[in-house]
Amino acid sequence: MSYAASKVVIITEKLLLEKVTALIEACGASGYTVVAAGGKGSRGIRSTGRAAIVDEFSNIKIEVITAERETAERIADEVAAQFFDNYSGITYFEPVEIIRPHKF
Amino acid sequence: MSYAASKVVIITEKLLLEKVTALIEACGASGYTVVAAGGKGSRGIRSTGRAAIVDEFSNIKIEVITAERETAERIADEVAAQFFDNYSGITYFEPVEIIRPHKF
Amino acid sequence: MSYAASKVVIITEKLLLEKVTALIEACGASGYTVVAAGGKGSRGIRSTGRAAIVDEFSNIKIEVITAERETAERIADEVAAQFFDNYSGITYFEPVEIIRPHKF
């Protein structure tokens, strides 16, 4: 009892949390998961320095699982269009297989 | 030197941590990884509110890698059967490729 | 506008953070993401005990996305060769699809 679904992952600056999650909901996703993250991107150091990565996370990793690939793509496109000219971030897709869709 | 394996991901309420990890071990998995998470599910707000997501994580994301797909499925089925009638949560599979199985 | 890429995931002890991220950069990756993690591995308890998993994370989960699969493999091989004889850890690959490569 499983079916293929899409997962879109957004890694960006923590201060965008409210805006990005509002956008995710506006795109029609029914839920998301947020994890605190540190790291470094190609456009410079993303967190406040490597030594502080674990203690002081300044990024967030947001994951959204959607039944429709289209929804995942819309979220990724909107996030990139609205925020990534001015903030660092990356979005990518991962294939997932949902096990209990009726509980999602 | 890599081989295909299964990863089962369980996102649920933090208070279930002990019970879910005990179940994972009872299913025969040799290890798991736990990350603190916040978020929102389709059955209502999962964390204590969006503003508090990063500061106050009330969910956990548990990942289990298993050599046998069957083990991953048993874990997912058991978690859903035992907990998801009364607690919010989601389980899904992701394909992974293990690089150093002898060190796992 | 997306293309296939590789993600290598490294889960290991927190005290290796500086060394592993230096190695990742030396291998030519342009960025990485770090998340605090707890858990248990096949070679014994990885964190300081199950009850403390969420409050006291002693592991890190590092994710590196690379355009070339070769880079991901080099990172995985080097991490295992340099650290996994003396420290617990696991590395694995996941397939991803990058959406905005020019912003990565």
Side-chain angles (χ1 to χ4, degrees), chain A residues 13 30 35 37 51 56 58 62 64 66 79 83 93:
Chain A
E13 299 176 38
S30 59
V35 165
E56 193 179 340
S58 58
I62 307 174
V64 190
T66 63
V79 166
F83 304 114
F93 295 120

Side-chain angles (χ1 to χ4, degrees), chain A residues 2-79:
Chain A
S2 68
Y3 74 106
S6 292
K7 183 166 85 168
V8 55
V9 179
I10 301 152
I11 300 169
T12 191
E13 299 176 38
K14 187 173 163 179
L15 59 89
L16 293 179
L17 177 60
E18 291 260 2
K19 286 181 181 168
V20 172
T21 54
L23 184 155
I24 287 166
E25 294 185 70
C27 286
S30 59
Y32 52 83
T33 298
V34 183
V35 165
K40 193 172 168 180
S42 58
R43 296 197 294 175
I45 290 176
R46 274 196 296 207
S47 82
T48 54
R50 198 185 301 150
I53 280 173
V54 167
D55 295 327
E56 193 179 340
F57 289 102
S58 58
N59 296 325
I60 41 169
K61 182 183 179 189
I62 307 174
E63 299 184 332
V64 190
I65 290 173
T66 63
E68 306 294 329
R69 165 79 185 215
E70 251 185 7
T71 312
E73 286 181 0
R74 194 161 57 242
I75 291 167
D77 287 345
E78 283 294 316
V79 166

Side-chain angles (χ1 to χ4, degrees), chain C residues 13-31:
Chain C
E13 299 177 38
K14 186 174 165 178
L15 58 89
L16 293 179
L17 176 61
E18 292 261 2
K19 286 182 180 169
V20 172
T21 55
L23 184 155
I24 287 166
E25 294 186 70
C27 285
S30 59

